[in-house]
Amino acid sequence: MHIHIPDGVLPIWLWLTGFLVTSILLVIVLPKLKKEIKKIPMVGMMTAVALLVMSIPLGLPVHLNLMVLIGLIVGVRWSLVVALTVNFILASFGHGGLTIVGLNTLLLWLQATAGIFLFRFFIKFFKNYFASASIVTFISLFLSFLLLVGIVAVSQVDPRNFLSHKHEHQAVETAYHENHESEVNTEKIKKETEHAREEETLAHTKISLITFTILSLPIFLLGAVVESLVTGFVVQFVRRVKPELIIKSLKH
Amino acid sequence: MSSIYLVDYYSNTIKSVVHQITVIPKIIFLLFVLFSVVISKSLFNLILIFFVIAFLIVIAQLPLLKILKWSLYSAFFASLFAVSQIQYGLLPFQTMLKAIDAALLMLFVVCTTPYPALFSLFGKISTILANVFFMTYRFFFLIIDEIQTKVMVLKIRGGYVGGPIKTLKNIGSTIGRLFIHSIERSEKLYDIMIIRGYRGVMFSRTTFRFRLFDLLLIGFGVLIFLIAIIL
Amino acid sequence: MKEEIIKVGCIKHRYPDKTEVSVCGLEFIVRSGEKIALIGANGSGKTTLLLHLVGLLKPAAGKVEIFGVDPCKKFSKIGRKVAMVMQNIEDQLIGPTVFDDIAFSLVNYGVPRKEVEERVGEIIRELKIENLKDKIVHYLSGGEKKKVALAGALVLKPELLILDEALAELDPETIELTLKILNDFAKRYNTAILMATNDIDLVPRFADVVYLLEKGRITFKGSFKELSKSKKEYKICIH
C-alpha cells in the first residue's frame, strides 16, 4: 500500500526532481532491459495483476499493491518499470497526481527494491517464508513511508507559499532594508535574510509535517499490517505450490 | 478494477465531439490546465476550472456524477494535507480543490481517449515502456474475469467470515493462485508471440491531426492557463 | 513432386504432469500448396501434434521437421514462413486494437509502415472486417476475434498456415466465406494449409488430404472419398 500524493500539494521543483530522478534511473535501466524482452509479457502481466489486486475488497479503507511480491518475481530493474506503469495508470484516473508520478514511482520502487534485498537476507536467518516475507514487507513499506514523510518535509509545505508570496517577500524585504540602512556589507545581509526566510519556512513545515505524519500513520499502519500479512500468505502459498518462482527471485 | 473497466468502456464506446478529438490536442490541453491547477493561488480560479471541466464532461456525454465520485478518491488523500493546513484560512479548500480538479481533468481525458492512443505516446520515449503499457492493458482485460470469479468464489465459500487473519490467509491463497496462473499464462503468451514473430515491437497506430475541435480544445487550455496566471 | 515442408516421424511427448501423448502410425507429411485436414476426436493428439510443428512442444522421442529444420531449435529461421491460429483465440490476440493486432507480425518482421498499412487494409477487406479496424480487441465477439486472428495469420502470406479448430463457433455464412478465402489463398500463394478440426462437414469443402488421428495414432491418410468408403474409420471420426 502507499499513500497517494495528489496534484498541487508539492512545489514544482520537487515533483520535477521526482521526474528527473526517475528519468535518470530509466535511462540507466532500460538499455539493460532490452536484452530481456522475454520477460516483458510477465512484467505486463504482473502490472495487470497489481492493478487488479487493488480491487480486491479487504473490508478496510486501504488497498493492496503487492510491490514487494512483484519485486521478488520480476527483480530490481523491472520493478522500476512496473512502478512507473502502475503509477501512471493510477494517476490517469485520479489515484495520485500526474505531476507526482515521478515521486510515486520512486516510492513504489523503493518498496520493491528494499523488499528484494531484505528478503534475501532474512530468509537465511528465519528459514520461514511467511515470517520473512511479512517482516520484509513491513520494513519495506515503512521505509517507503519514511521517504514519503521526507518528501513532505523537504517540500516545506508552507501554507503561505500557497496563499500568497507577498507576506514572506515583505518580511524578507523589510529585513533587507533594515540591514541596508545600517550599512552592513551585502554578504551579511544576504545570509541573514536567507536565515530569516529559512527559519520562517521550517517553522511552518514542522507544524504541517507533524500533523501530516499523525494523520497518515494510522492509515499507513493499517495498510502495512494487512499488506505484510497478505504478502506473507501469498509467498507461503507460492512456496508450497510453485517453489521455483520464489527460489528464482533469490537468484536474481 | 471496475473504474478502469468503465473508463475504458466510456472512451471506446461513446461517440461525442470530444471523443473525436485526437490524443495530442488532448494532452496539450491537459498540460495547460494541469499546470494552471498546480500554480493556481486563487480559489475562484480553481472553482472556475472545476466547472469548466464538469461542463466538458457533460459535452462529452459522460456520466458526470459517477466521474465526480471517482475524483473524490483523490480528495481523501488530499484531506491528509488539507487537515494539516487547517489553521491557514482557505488553503485547505485550495488543496482539496486542486486534487479534485486534477483528478477530474485526468478522468475527463482518459474517459474520452482510448488507452492505446495514450500509451502510443510512450512509444516515442521507449519501446520497452510502450511494450509494458500495451501488454498491461491487454492482459488486464484478459484476467479481469478470472479475478472477479475468484473473489466471488471466495465470498460464496465463506472466505470472508472466519475472522481477520483467516480472511487474509484466504485472500493470500487466492492472490497466490492468481500470481501463479498469471505467470504461467504470460509464459504461454510469450511463446505464442514468438510464433507470431515478436521481436520486441508493440505499437498502436495513432492519428495525429489538428482539426477545428482539436484546435478549439487547445485554445481552451491556453485560455484557462492565461486566466490562472492573471488571477 | 511438390516440396515436403512438414515431416513428422513417430513422436512422443511427456507433459510436466507425466502424461504421455504420442503421435505415431502412418508418416505425417505435408507438401507445399496442399490443404490438409487433421481430424480426430477430442484428446486424440491433434493439438499436441500442431504444437510440435511450431516448436512449442519438444518431443521426448521422434523427429519433427519443418522446411528442413527442427522447429524446436530453429523456429526463428522459419518463423516468417509459418502462421498459426490457435484454439484459444484470446491468448493469440496481443495488439490493443484490431489494426494493431493484424499488423503485429509484419511490424515485428520490420515490414515498412506503408506496406503494413496496405497489407492490413487488403486482408481486412477480404475478410470483410473493415468495420472492426479501430476496435479494441476485448470488445469483439468470439467470432470477430477468430476473424481477426485469421487476418493476423493471413496477412503474413505464409507458406504454411496451421489452423487449430479455427472455424469452430463461427456462423455458417462466415465459415463459407473463410473457406473460400482459404482455398483462394492456397491457390494464389501456394500456401500449405493444415487444419485440425472436429467438424467432419468442413473436410470435403476444403481438404485435398485427410489424416485421421485416433488415440495418438495416425490410422488413415487419403482423400475424403477414401475416408467415406472406410466406414469404420469414418464412424470413429464423427463420434
Side-chain angles (χ1 to χ4, degrees), chain B residues 48-73:
Chain B
L48 184 74
I49 292 173
F50 175 87
F51 282 109
V52 166
I53 304 170
F55 171 71
L56 286 172
I57 287 171
V58 174
I59 295 281
Q61 297 168 21
L62 295 164
L64 181 61
L65 284 179
K66 183 161 255 153
I67 290 173
L68 274 175
K69 197 179 117 193
W70 289 341
S71 74
L72 288 180
Y73 185 85

PDB file of all heavy atoms in Angstrom, chain B residues 48-73:
ATOM      1  N   LEU B  48     -13.562  27.853 -10.929  1.00  0.00           N
ATOM      2  CA  LEU B  48     -13.842  28.063 -12.352  1.00  0.00           C
ATOM      3  C   LEU B  48     -13.382  26.843 -13.170  1.00  0.00           C
ATOM      4  O   LEU B  48     -14.128  26.321 -14.009  1.00  0.00           O
ATOM      5  CB  LEU B  48     -13.119  29.327 -12.833  1.00  0.00           C
ATOM      6  CG  LEU B  48     -13.396  29.739 -14.272  1.00  0.00           C
ATOM      7  CD1 LEU B  48     -14.791  30.329 -14.392  1.00  0.00           C
ATOM      8  CD2 LEU B  48     -12.359  30.753 -14.746  1.00  0.00           C
ATOM      9  N   ILE B  49     -12.160  26.397 -12.884  1.00  0.00           N
ATOM     10  CA  ILE B  49     -11.627  25.235 -13.612  1.00  0.00           C
ATOM     11  C   ILE B  49     -12.518  24.010 -13.370  1.00  0.00           C
ATOM     12  O   ILE B  49     -12.809  23.243 -14.284  1.00  0.00           O
ATOM     13  CB  ILE B  49     -10.158  24.951 -13.204  1.00  0.00           C
ATOM     14  CG1 ILE B  49      -9.252  26.077 -13.697  1.00  0.00           C
ATOM     15  CG2 ILE B  49      -9.671  23.610 -13.760  1.00  0.00           C
ATOM     16  CD1 ILE B  49      -7.818  26.002 -13.231  1.00  0.00           C
ATOM     17  N   PHE B  50     -12.959  23.863 -12.127  1.00  0.00           N
ATOM     18  CA  PHE B  50     -13.835  22.733 -11.789  1.00  0.00           C
ATOM     19  C   PHE B  50     -15.077  22.739 -12.689  1.00  0.00           C
ATOM     20  O   PHE B  50     -15.440  21.723 -13.289  1.00  0.00           O
ATOM     21  CB  PHE B  50     -14.249  22.831 -10.310  1.00  0.00           C
ATOM     22  CG  PHE B  50     -15.233  21.780  -9.891  1.00  0.00           C
ATOM     23  CD1 PHE B  50     -14.785  20.543  -9.456  1.00  0.00           C
ATOM     24  CD2 PHE B  50     -16.602  22.023  -9.937  1.00  0.00           C
ATOM     25  CE1 PHE B  50     -15.697  19.561  -9.071  1.00  0.00           C
ATOM     26  CE2 PHE B  50     -17.512  21.044  -9.559  1.00  0.00           C
ATOM     27  CZ  PHE B  50     -17.054  19.812  -9.122  1.00  0.00           C
ATOM     28  N   PHE B  51     -15.702  23.904 -12.814  1.00  0.00           N
ATOM     29  CA  PHE B  51     -16.930  23.971 -13.613  1.00  0.00           C
ATOM     30  C   PHE B  51     -16.649  23.803 -15.104  1.00  0.00           C
ATOM     31  O   PHE B  51     -17.455  23.224 -15.832  1.00  0.00           O
ATOM     32  CB  PHE B  51     -17.694  25.268 -13.317  1.00  0.00           C
ATOM     33  CG  PHE B  51     -18.456  25.181 -12.022  1.00  0.00           C
ATOM     34  CD1 PHE B  51     -18.061  25.903 -10.909  1.00  0.00           C
ATOM     35  CD2 PHE B  51     -19.559  24.331 -11.906  1.00  0.00           C
ATOM     36  CE1 PHE B  51     -18.750  25.801  -9.700  1.00  0.00           C
ATOM     37  CE2 PHE B  51     -20.255  24.229 -10.705  1.00  0.00           C
ATOM     38  CZ  PHE B  51     -19.848  24.956  -9.603  1.00  0.00           C
ATOM     39  N   VAL B  52     -15.502  24.318 -15.535  1.00  0.00           N
ATOM     40  CA  VAL B  52     -15.148  24.154 -16.958  1.00  0.00           C
ATOM     41  C   VAL B  52     -14.999  22.666 -17.287  1.00  0.00           C
ATOM     42  O   VAL B  52     -15.540  22.174 -18.289  1.00  0.00           O
ATOM     43  CB  VAL B  52     -13.838  24.923 -17.283  1.00  0.00           C
ATOM     44  CG1 VAL B  52     -13.284  24.495 -18.644  1.00  0.00           C
ATOM     45  CG2 VAL B  52     -14.092  26.419 -17.282  1.00  0.00           C
ATOM     46  N   ILE B  53     -14.280  21.941 -16.424  1.00  0.00           N
ATOM     47  CA  ILE B  53     -14.076  20.506 -16.710  1.00  0.00           C
ATOM     48  C   ILE B  53     -15.415  19.755 -16.605  1.00  0.00           C
ATOM     49  O   ILE B  53     -15.721  18.892 -17.429  1.00  0.00           O
ATOM     50  CB  ILE B  53     -13.031  19.871 -15.769  1.00  0.00           C
ATOM     51  CG1 ILE B  53     -11.709  20.638 -15.856  1.00  0.00           C
ATOM     52  CG2 ILE B  53     -12.769  18.413 -16.162  1.00  0.00           C
ATOM     53  CD1 ILE B  53     -10.700  20.254 -14.796  1.00  0.00           C
ATOM     54  N   ALA B  54     -16.210  20.129 -15.596  1.00  0.00           N
ATOM     55  CA  ALA B  54     -17.520  19.486 -15.452  1.00  0.00           C
ATOM     56  C   ALA B  54     -18.357  19.715 -16.713  1.00  0.00           C
ATOM     57  O   ALA B  54     -19.027  18.794 -17.205  1.00  0.00           O
ATOM     58  CB  ALA B  54     -18.235  20.033 -14.226  1.00  0.00           C
ATOM     59  N   PHE B  55     -18.277  20.935 -17.253  1.00  0.00           N
ATOM     60  CA  PHE B  55     -19.005  21.269 -18.477  1.00  0.00           C
ATOM     61  C   PHE B  55     -18.519  20.386 -19.643  1.00  0.00           C
ATOM     62  O   PHE B  55     -19.322  19.829 -20.400  1.00  0.00           O
ATOM     63  CB  PHE B  55     -18.789  22.762 -18.792  1.00  0.00           C
ATOM     64  CG  PHE B  55     -19.309  23.191 -20.123  1.00  0.00           C
ATOM     65  CD1 PHE B  55     -20.678  23.282 -20.358  1.00  0.00           C
ATOM     66  CD2 PHE B  55     -18.433  23.517 -21.149  1.00  0.00           C
ATOM     67  CE1 PHE B  55     -21.152  23.674 -21.602  1.00  0.00           C
ATOM     68  CE2 PHE B  55     -18.900  23.901 -22.389  1.00  0.00           C
ATOM     69  CZ  PHE B  55     -20.266  23.983 -22.614  1.00  0.00           C
ATOM     70  N   LEU B  56     -17.190  20.254 -19.738  1.00  0.00           N
ATOM     71  CA  LEU B  56     -16.630  19.429 -20.818  1.00  0.00           C
ATOM     72  C   LEU B  56     -17.055  17.961 -20.667  1.00  0.00           C
ATOM     73  O   LEU B  56     -17.284  17.264 -21.659  1.00  0.00           O
ATOM     74  CB  LEU B  56     -15.103  19.529 -20.831  1.00  0.00           C
ATOM     75  CG  LEU B  56     -14.539  20.849 -21.363  1.00  0.00           C
ATOM     76  CD1 LEU B  56     -13.031  20.923 -21.162  1.00  0.00           C
ATOM     77  CD2 LEU B  56     -14.865  21.008 -22.844  1.00  0.00           C
ATOM     78  N   ILE B  57     -17.145  17.518 -19.428  1.00  0.00           N
ATOM     79  CA  ILE B  57     -17.566  16.129 -19.179  1.00  0.00           C
ATOM     80  C   ILE B  57     -19.002  15.916 -19.670  1.00  0.00           C
ATOM     81  O   ILE B  57     -19.321  14.894 -20.283  1.00  0.00           O
ATOM     82  CB  ILE B  57     -17.415  15.783 -17.675  1.00  0.00           C
ATOM     83  CG1 ILE B  57     -15.928  15.636 -17.331  1.00  0.00           C
ATOM     84  CG2 ILE B  57     -18.170  14.499 -17.306  1.00  0.00           C
ATOM     85  CD1 ILE B  57     -15.620  15.498 -15.858  1.00  0.00           C
ATOM     86  N   VAL B  58     -19.828  16.925 -19.442  1.00  0.00           N
ATOM     87  CA  VAL B  58     -21.213  16.843 -19.910  1.00  0.00           C
ATOM     88  C   VAL B  58     -21.250  16.847 -21.439  1.00  0.00           C
ATOM     89  O   VAL B  58     -21.958  16.048 -22.065  1.00  0.00           O
ATOM     90  CB  VAL B  58     -22.058  18.000 -19.328  1.00  0.00           C
ATOM     91  CG1 VAL B  58     -23.459  18.008 -19.922  1.00  0.00           C
ATOM     92  CG2 VAL B  58     -22.124  17.878 -17.808  1.00  0.00           C
ATOM     93  N   ILE B  59     -20.458  17.746 -22.040  1.00  0.00           N
ATOM     94  CA  ILE B  59     -20.384  17.811 -23.509  1.00  0.00           C
ATOM     95  C   ILE B  59     -19.948  16.456 -24.078  1.00  0.00           C
ATOM     96  O   ILE B  59     -20.400  16.028 -25.132  1.00  0.00           O
ATOM     97  CB  ILE B  59     -19.352  18.895 -23.949  1.00  0.00           C
ATOM     98  CG1 ILE B  59     -19.820  20.280 -23.521  1.00  0.00           C
ATOM     99  CG2 ILE B  59     -19.062  18.842 -25.453  1.00  0.00           C
ATOM    100  CD1 ILE B  59     -20.873  20.889 -24.382  1.00  0.00           C
ATOM    101  N   ALA B  60     -19.041  15.806 -23.342  1.00  0.00           N
ATOM    102  CA  ALA B  60     -18.517  14.508 -23.806  1.00  0.00           C
ATOM    103  C   ALA B  60     -19.497  13.361 -23.554  1.00  0.00           C
ATOM    104  O   ALA B  60     -19.157  12.199 -23.792  1.00  0.00           O
ATOM    105  CB  ALA B  60     -17.182  14.222 -23.137  1.00  0.00           C
ATOM    106  N   GLN B  61     -20.675  13.688 -23.070  1.00  0.00           N
ATOM    107  CA  GLN B  61     -21.743  12.698 -22.804  1.00  0.00           C
ATOM    108  C   GLN B  61     -21.328  11.642 -21.778  1.00  0.00           C
ATOM    109  O   GLN B  61     -21.730  10.483 -21.840  1.00  0.00           O
ATOM    110  CB  GLN B  61     -22.166  12.002 -24.101  1.00  0.00           C
ATOM    111  CG  GLN B  61     -22.770  12.947 -25.120  1.00  0.00           C
ATOM    112  CD  GLN B  61     -22.902  12.312 -26.492  1.00  0.00           C
ATOM    113  OE1 GLN B  61     -22.911  11.110 -26.625  1.00  0.00           O
ATOM    114  NE2 GLN B  61     -22.994  13.147 -27.504  1.00  0.00           N
ATOM    115  N   LEU B  62     -20.484  12.061 -20.842  1.00  0.00           N
ATOM    116  CA  LEU B  62     -20.028  11.135 -19.796  1.00  0.00           C
ATOM    117  C   LEU B  62     -20.911  11.309 -18.557  1.00  0.00           C
ATOM    118  O   LEU B  62     -21.463  12.394 -18.336  1.00  0.00           O
ATOM    119  CB  LEU B  62     -18.565  11.437 -19.429  1.00  0.00           C
ATOM    120  CG  LEU B  62     -17.540  11.192 -20.529  1.00  0.00           C
ATOM    121  CD1 LEU B  62     -16.212  11.883 -20.193  1.00  0.00           C
ATOM    122  CD2 LEU B  62     -17.313   9.706 -20.735  1.00  0.00           C
ATOM    123  N   PRO B  63     -21.040  10.281 -17.742  1.00  0.00           N
ATOM    124  CA  PRO B  63     -21.865  10.413 -16.527  1.00  0.00           C
ATOM    125  C   PRO B  63     -21.146  11.266 -15.470  1.00  0.00           C
ATOM    126  O   PRO B  63     -20.215  10.787 -14.810  1.00  0.00           O
ATOM    127  CB  PRO B  63     -22.027   8.965 -16.056  1.00  0.00           C
ATOM    128  CG  PRO B  63     -20.869   8.237 -16.638  1.00  0.00           C
ATOM    129  CD  PRO B  63     -20.463   8.948 -17.873  1.00  0.00           C
ATOM    130  N   LEU B  64     -21.579  12.493 -15.364  1.00  0.00           N
ATOM    131  CA  LEU B  64     -20.879  13.467 -14.513  1.00  0.00           C
ATOM    132  C   LEU B  64     -20.782  13.005 -13.053  1.00  0.00           C
ATOM    133  O   LEU B  64     -19.714  13.089 -12.438  1.00  0.00           O
ATOM    134  CB  LEU B  64     -21.589  14.825 -14.598  1.00  0.00           C
ATOM    135  CG  LEU B  64     -20.963  15.960 -13.782  1.00  0.00           C
ATOM    136  CD1 LEU B  64     -19.538  16.250 -14.229  1.00  0.00           C
ATOM    137  CD2 LEU B  64     -21.800  17.230 -13.865  1.00  0.00           C
ATOM    138  N   LEU B  65     -21.898  12.514 -12.522  1.00  0.00           N
ATOM    139  CA  LEU B  65     -21.908  12.149 -11.095  1.00  0.00           C
ATOM    140  C   LEU B  65     -20.920  11.030 -10.785  1.00  0.00           C
ATOM    141  O   LEU B  65     -20.206  11.070  -9.792  1.00  0.00           O
ATOM    142  CB  LEU B  65     -23.318  11.753 -10.649  1.00  0.00           C
ATOM    143  CG  LEU B  65     -24.272  12.928 -10.458  1.00  0.00           C
ATOM    144  CD1 LEU B  65     -25.645  12.426 -10.040  1.00  0.00           C
ATOM    145  CD2 LEU B  65     -23.748  13.917  -9.412  1.00  0.00           C
ATOM    146  N   LYS B  66     -20.909  10.057 -11.668  1.00  0.00           N
ATOM    147  CA  LYS B  66     -20.001   8.923 -11.459  1.00  0.00           C
ATOM    148  C   LYS B  66     -18.538   9.402 -11.493  1.00  0.00           C
ATOM    149  O   LYS B  66     -17.715   9.018 -10.659  1.00  0.00           O
ATOM    150  CB  LYS B  66     -20.243   7.869 -12.534  1.00  0.00           C
ATOM    151  CG  LYS B  66     -19.391   6.639 -12.355  1.00  0.00           C
ATOM    152  CD  LYS B  66     -19.943   5.451 -13.106  1.00  0.00           C
ATOM    153  CE  LYS B  66     -20.576   4.490 -12.175  1.00  0.00           C
ATOM    154  NZ  LYS B  66     -21.572   3.656 -12.512  1.00  0.00           N
ATOM    155  N   ILE B  67     -18.234  10.264 -12.454  1.00  0.00           N
ATOM    156  CA  ILE B  67     -16.850  10.735 -12.586  1.00  0.00           C
ATOM    157  C   ILE B  67     -16.484  11.647 -11.407  1.00  0.00           C
ATOM    158  O   ILE B  67     -15.366  11.592 -10.890  1.00  0.00           O
ATOM    159  CB  ILE B  67     -16.642  11.399 -13.961  1.00  0.00           C
ATOM    160  CG1 ILE B  67     -16.702  10.280 -15.004  1.00  0.00           C
ATOM    161  CG2 ILE B  67     -15.317  12.130 -14.060  1.00  0.00           C
ATOM    162  CD1 ILE B  67     -16.693  10.697 -16.411  1.00  0.00           C
ATOM    163  N   LEU B  68     -17.456  12.423 -10.959  1.00  0.00           N
ATOM    164  CA  LEU B  68     -17.219  13.249  -9.762  1.00  0.00           C
ATOM    165  C   LEU B  68     -16.913  12.353  -8.558  1.00  0.00           C
ATOM    166  O   LEU B  68     -16.009  12.643  -7.773  1.00  0.00           O
ATOM    167  CB  LEU B  68     -18.462  14.095  -9.458  1.00  0.00           C
ATOM    168  CG  LEU B  68     -18.567  15.430 -10.175  1.00  0.00           C
ATOM    169  CD1 LEU B  68     -19.900  16.090  -9.859  1.00  0.00           C
ATOM    170  CD2 LEU B  68     -17.425  16.355  -9.787  1.00  0.00           C
ATOM    171  N   LYS B  69     -17.662  11.274  -8.463  1.00  0.00           N
ATOM    172  CA  LYS B  69     -17.456  10.340  -7.353  1.00  0.00           C
ATOM    173  C   LYS B  69     -16.037   9.769  -7.402  1.00  0.00           C
ATOM    174  O   LYS B  69     -15.351   9.686  -6.384  1.00  0.00           O
ATOM    175  CB  LYS B  69     -18.499   9.206  -7.455  1.00  0.00           C
ATOM    176  CG  LYS B  69     -18.666   8.410  -6.166  1.00  0.00           C
ATOM    177  CD  LYS B  69     -19.718   7.330  -6.347  1.00  0.00           C
ATOM    178  CE  LYS B  69     -19.077   5.977  -6.168  1.00  0.00           C
ATOM    179  NZ  LYS B  69     -19.915   4.876  -6.602  1.00  0.00           N
ATOM    180  N   TRP B  70     -15.590   9.394  -8.590  1.00  0.00           N
ATOM    181  CA  TRP B  70     -14.226   8.856  -8.724  1.00  0.00           C
ATOM    182  C   TRP B  70     -13.182   9.893  -8.333  1.00  0.00           C
ATOM    183  O   TRP B  70     -12.170   9.580  -7.723  1.00  0.00           O
ATOM    184  CB  TRP B  70     -13.966   8.397 -10.155  1.00  0.00           C
ATOM    185  CG  TRP B  70     -14.697   7.149 -10.554  1.00  0.00           C
ATOM    186  CD1 TRP B  70     -15.249   6.214  -9.718  1.00  0.00           C
ATOM    187  CD2 TRP B  70     -14.962   6.688 -11.881  1.00  0.00           C
ATOM    188  NE1 TRP B  70     -15.828   5.211 -10.445  1.00  0.00           N
ATOM    189  CE2 TRP B  70     -15.673   5.464 -11.776  1.00  0.00           C
ATOM    190  CE3 TRP B  70     -14.675   7.174 -13.158  1.00  0.00           C
ATOM    191  CZ2 TRP B  70     -16.088   4.738 -12.887  1.00  0.00           C
ATOM    192  CZ3 TRP B  70     -15.079   6.449 -14.263  1.00  0.00           C
ATOM    193  CH2 TRP B  70     -15.782   5.248 -14.125  1.00  0.00           C
ATOM    194  N   SER B  71     -13.453  11.135  -8.745  1.00  0.00           N
ATOM    195  CA  SER B  71     -12.452  12.181  -8.475  1.00  0.00           C
ATOM    196  C   SER B  71     -12.320  12.439  -6.971  1.00  0.00           C
ATOM    197  O   SER B  71     -11.302  12.953  -6.509  1.00  0.00           O
ATOM    198  CB  SER B  71     -12.801  13.474  -9.214  1.00  0.00           C
ATOM    199  OG  SER B  71     -13.894  14.100  -8.583  1.00  0.00           O
ATOM    200  N   LEU B  72     -13.360  12.074  -6.222  1.00  0.00           N
ATOM    201  CA  LEU B  72     -13.307  12.308  -4.770  1.00  0.00           C
ATOM    202  C   LEU B  72     -12.303  11.389  -4.070  1.00  0.00           C
ATOM    203  O   LEU B  72     -11.896  11.649  -2.944  1.00  0.00           O
ATOM    204  CB  LEU B  72     -14.701  12.118  -4.143  1.00  0.00           C
ATOM    205  CG  LEU B  72     -15.697  13.222  -4.474  1.00  0.00           C
ATOM    206  CD1 LEU B  72     -17.036  12.931  -3.819  1.00  0.00           C
ATOM    207  CD2 LEU B  72     -15.190  14.589  -4.031  1.00  0.00           C
ATOM    208  N   TYR B  73     -11.895  10.324  -4.752  1.00  0.00           N
ATOM    209  CA  TYR B  73     -10.887   9.439  -4.167  1.00  0.00           C
ATOM    210  C   TYR B  73      -9.614  10.232  -3.860  1.00  0.00           C
ATOM    211  O   TYR B  73      -8.983  10.058  -2.822  1.00  0.00           O
ATOM    212  CB  TYR B  73     -10.582   8.296  -5.144  1.00  0.00           C
ATOM    213  CG  TYR B  73      -9.632   7.264  -4.578  1.00  0.00           C
ATOM    214  CD1 TYR B  73     -10.109   6.214  -3.790  1.00  0.00           C
ATOM    215  CD2 TYR B  73      -8.265   7.332  -4.821  1.00  0.00           C
ATOM    216  CE1 TYR B  73      -9.248   5.269  -3.265  1.00  0.00           C
ATOM    217  CE2 TYR B  73      -7.388   6.390  -4.292  1.00  0.00           C
ATOM    218  CZ  TYR B  73      -7.888   5.360  -3.518  1.00  0.00           C
ATOM    219  OH  TYR B  73      -7.025   4.435  -2.995  1.00  0.00           O
TER     220      TYR B  73
END
